Amino acid sequence: MAFLRSMSKPDVTPMILGRGVYLRNPQPGDYGPWSDLRGASRSFLTPWEPTWPSDDLTRTAFRRRLRRYQREIREDQAYPFFIFREEDDALLGGCTLSGVQRGVQQ
């Protein structure tokens, strides 16, 4: 997973390509589609996540989320991705590779 270490460089935005989809780091411009999708998916997400703060879908909360993502990447602890449909670049969801441990486990 050495390719993931490159994510900490600000000028690099890795993209992982799949069949009809691609994964990339969340970016500030993703706020609108992210907020719409997350709001529409709330009933599905609620059992799997901690209690949502009252401002969860605000732009300010999204910026806080992006800062946390960057910290986790920088500390080599987690790698968040948004999933997009290749055909129209629609945001479909997200996933995070977390619990990264380096050293003997690697």
Side-chain angles (χ1 to χ4, degrees):
M1 298 223 203
F3 76 96
L4 291 174
R5 289 181 189 233
S6 66
M7 292 174 60
S8 62
K9 298 177 185 173
D11 59 335
V12 175
T13 303
M15 193 176 293
I16 300 171
L17 302 174
R19 291 186 188 147
V21 297
Y22 62 92
L23 285 69
R24 69 159 170 76
N25 295 77
Q27 299 173 1
D30 296 327
Y31 169 72
W34 171 85
S35 179
D36 293 345
L37 181 60
R38 187 160 172 80
S41 304
R42 186 173 190 149
S43 61
F44 171 78
L45 295 170
T46 299
W48 310 106
E49 295 185 343
T51 303
W52 288 21
S54 59
D55 70 340
D56 190 64
L57 297 178
T58 65
R59 188 175 297 275
T60 301
F62 185 70
R63 282 194 297 262
R64 278 194 309 264
R65 184 180 294 265
L66 292 180
R67 283 194 301 271
R68 187 183 75 240
Y69 290 161
Q70 287 304 313
R71 184 183 68 246
E72 291 171 342
I73 292 168
R74 188 174 52 254
E75 294 172 358
D76 200 25
Q77 295 177 341
Y79 297 92
F81 295 97
F82 279 177
I83 305 164
F84 295 88
R85 185 171 41 226
E86 192 173 30
E87 174 184 318
D88 59 0
D89 297 319
L91 177 63
L92 302 177
C95 63
T96 301
L97 174 61
S98 60
V100 176
Q101 296 184 11
R102 302 286 181 183
V104 176
Q105 299 90 340
Q106 189 173 355

